[in-house]
Amino acid sequence: MSSVIASTRFSVLDRSRTREGHDGPSALRDTVRFARELGALGYHRVWVSEHHGVPGVAGSAPTVLAAAVAAATRTIRVGTGGVMLPNHQPLVVAEQFGVLESLFPGRIDMGLGRSVGFTGGVRKALGRDKDDADDFAAQLAALLDFFRGTSTTGVRARPSDGLTVPPFVLAMGEGATIAAEAGLPMVIGDLRNREKMLRGIDRYRATFRPSAWAGEPYVVVSGTIAVAGSPEAAHRLLIPEAWSMAYSRTHGTFPPLPPSERVEALTMTTKERDFYESGLRGHIAGTEDQVADGLETLIKESGAQEVLVTTSSYDREGLLESYRGLARVAGLRRA
């Protein structure tokens, strides 16, 4: 095994993707079950996401789901990838993570993003608009102040005040600069646009300011990775998500994941086919040896300390086998 890979942490973001023929509650239960498996395999952390009004995603309340995941696991770190801070008041977010850290001390991560909703209807329902993302840096600072007891409001967040919950910034757009100026670890993707990702990492490292939260840059690269017994089997794991993304780009809604065989039988428009085929390119997928080669290149190019795997598929058992294969590639030790 490569020493580069062996020195890298591996973690997972599970977005509680719904599947055709399965409801949202079953997707949430799948996430909790999946987290137990990932913990046993030796992954460093498992994160859950925040999406509102999206038919294809059941994970709408990440701190609630994180509590269920933490309660069902013993050693793996648990967090959010992420809480979309513009959707919430910083005090409430601080309180929620303070409760999580109090119940599961030393295991909670606070991944934070700046998105404000998938559609205009969702933003209206949240009482937000696109411009709210522009205040992310100030919202982030206000949130962190509650943990250090330095909020300009004079309010002391309970039970967060004095607790340490590691914050991470999800770098989308200006996120890399905000993470660097705040002195926080950064999560950046995606693997399909490697040059853009590497530019963001370079900018982050060049402008990083040490803080009470992190003394030096910490980079987490995120993206889709699929491991199987053959390149063809790994490719099939990617098909449902590629089609779901293509459908969202052409129909304006993000649907549940379909089985690979149904997608392969579809007659697509030229536009759909272009988006679909684009969605299949640029990921790290294949046999264990092929994935090991791809990971070694990625880690050397990016200098990342951690890889956050974001793969989704209709075939949950196939996805679990993929994570088992990746655990072997990474040399993870079973808990």
Side-chain angles (χ1 to χ4, degrees):
M1 179 181 55
S2 163
S3 61
V4 172
I5 295 175
S7 62
T8 304
R9 289 171 168 167
F10 284 82
S11 301
V12 173
L13 169 65
D14 190 88
R15 289 179 292 149
S16 303
R17 291 287 273 115
T18 56
R19 298 177 291 158
E20 287 186 1
H22 303 264
D23 59 14
S26 68
L28 296 171
R29 291 190 292 269
D30 279 346
T31 293
V32 175
R33 179 181 66 87
F34 209 40
R36 291 195 199 100
E37 297 277 3
L38 294 168
L41 288 170
Y43 282 90
H44 184 61
R45 60 181 111 239
V46 59
W47 281 2
V48 295
S49 62
E50 176 181 341
H51 295 273
H52 300 284
V54 181
V57 184
S60 57
T63 53
V64 177
L65 184 54
V69 169
T73 55
R74 291 191 304 137
T75 57
I76 193 169
R77 297 192 63 87
V78 178
T80 56
V83 165
M84 296 301 142
L85 197 50
N87 293 337
H88 310 280
Q89 292 298 326
L91 172 61
V92 175
V93 175
E95 291 170 338
Q96 290 172 345
F97 279 99
V99 170
L100 285 170
E101 177 63 21
S102 298
L103 294 173
F104 310 102
R107 292 179 57 207
I108 300 301
D109 300 321
M110 186 167 56
L112 305 162
R114 64 193 293 268
S115 295
V116 287
F118 189 62
T119 65
V122 169
R123 291 189 290 274
K124 182 177 180 181
L126 289 168
R128 300 291 188 269
D129 58 43
K130 288 183 178 181
D131 293 340
D132 288 315
D134 297 338
D135 296 328
F136 178 67
Q139 294 161 351
L140 178 62
L143 170 63
L144 298 181
D145 281 345
F146 281 118
F147 285 93
R148 303 191 63 80
T150 56
S151 173
T152 57
T153 65
V155 173
R156 306 299 287 264
R158 312 290 183 186
S160 319
D161 193 350
L163 296 180
T164 299
V165 182
F168 295 74
V169 172
L170 276 61
M172 301 293 290
E174 295 301 314
T177 299
I178 292 171
E181 292 179 348
L184 299 181
M186 177 186 69
V187 183
I188 189 167
D190 66 42
L191 306 183
R192 291 176 300 171
N193 194 337
R194 193 73 57 91
E195 290 185 4
K196 181 179 179 181
M197 182 188 74
L198 295 176
R199 288 197 301 271
I201 292 172
D202 289 343
R203 184 168 67 252
Y204 167 71
R205 289 200 176 105
T207 57
F208 183 86
R209 300 174 182 173
S211 72
W213 299 96
E216 58 187 24
Y218 187 90
V219 174
V220 184
V221 291
S222 67
T224 296
I225 300 172
V227 186
S230 68
E232 294 76 20
H235 172 83
R236 285 180 63 80
L237 283 175
L238 306 179
I239 287 174
E241 181 77 3
W243 168 245
S244 187
M245 290 295 294
Y247 190 92
S248 73
R249 298 287 297 275
T250 52
H251 294 78
T253 185
F254 201 62
L257 296 173
S260 297
E261 54 269 20
R262 191 176 79 74
V263 177
E264 291 172 322
L266 288 174
T267 300
M268 302 182 194
T269 66
T270 299
K271 190 174 183 180
E272 287 172 340
R273 175 67 64 180
D274 288 345
F275 282 128
Y276 169 66
E277 292 180 350
S278 174
L280 290 170
R281 293 193 292 266
H283 308 295
I284 297 177
T287 64
E288 291 184 21
D289 286 344
Q290 290 171 325
V291 167
D293 289 343
L295 282 173
E296 183 162 15
T297 299
L298 169 67
I299 296 166
K300 285 180 176 179
E301 287 180 349
S302 66
Q305 289 97 329
E306 186 170 342
V307 175
L308 180 69
V309 187
T310 62
T311 312
S312 297
S313 186
Y314 178 90
D315 181 1
R316 293 290 288 187
E317 291 306 315
L319 185 56
L320 180 55
E321 282 299 320
S322 175
Y323 282 123
R324 288 172 178 150
L326 180 58
R328 289 191 293 269
V329 170
L332 304 185
R333 295 182 179 181
R334 293 187 64 88

